[in-house]
Amino acid sequence: RGITSSTYKLPDISAGEDDDEAMEATTVEQTVNPDILSYIIKVHSSEINLIARKHRVNFDHSKDNSTVYFKGDGKNVKTALDDFISMYQTLFKKLDSRSLDTYLHDVQIEACIDAVELAQDSH
């Protein structure tokens, strides 16, 4: 099951007709936990869009959800990334990841997968 990102894209960031006047776009990237990013994209995409709009940058992520990218004006991308990291860390603290040994609890793995997908669909 693929997760598509909800991204905020700005119009062309060129400053003028002359290529010499074009704004130099900067891209910053941050490695993240793919599972946490998948959760954030699915449940908190509006907060990511808010950060992108606030700082007038573009947000994107790698296909495997292991890296996030912000592109735009140098100062703006850095503050956007700082805001994203703050949000990410806050959400990361709230998530409780637990391992479940299905053999010790006599649980069918398919039932676990179904339960997780049902929970994901409900959010």
Side-chain angles (χ1 to χ4, degrees):
R1 193 189 290 241
I3 297 177
T4 56
S5 65
S6 177
T7 60
Y8 176 74
K9 298 284 186 186
L10 290 174
D12 184 9
I13 58 175
S14 299
E17 301 90 24
D18 190 354
D19 287 339
D20 294 336
E21 295 177 12
M23 183 188 333
E24 196 62 37
T26 301
T27 301
V28 294
E29 63 183 66
Q30 177 67 46
T31 303
V32 294
N33 179 304
D35 294 330
I36 302 296
L37 184 59
S38 293
Y39 167 78
I40 290 172
I41 289 170
K42 186 158 186 91
V43 179
H44 298 280
S45 62
S46 62
E47 293 176 44
I48 295 172
N49 287 332
L50 183 64
I51 290 170
R53 280 193 303 271
K54 175 182 173 185
H55 298 288
R56 299 197 42 78
V57 297
N58 295 329
F59 168 80
D60 206 353
H61 59 87
S62 59
K63 288 184 180 185
D64 65 357
N65 286 346
S66 65
T67 307
V68 295
Y69 307 96
F70 286 94
K71 182 176 182 178
D73 179 53
K75 182 179 178 184
N76 291 356
V77 293
K78 291 173 184 157
T79 55
L81 181 60
D82 288 343
D83 284 358
F84 177 83
I85 290 171
S86 294
M87 177 189 68
Y88 177 91
Q89 289 173 338
T90 299
L91 293 171
F92 189 80
K93 289 177 190 175
K94 292 180 182 178
L95 296 177
D96 185 19
S97 177
R98 298 181 189 177
S99 297
L100 174 65
D101 187 343
T102 58
Y103 295 108
L104 292 177
H105 300 286
D106 195 31
V107 176
Q108 296 294 322
I109 191 69
E110 290 82 18
C112 292
I113 292 170
D114 292 342
V116 168
E117 286 179 353
L118 183 62
Q120 287 176 334
D121 290 343
S122 68
H123 288 301

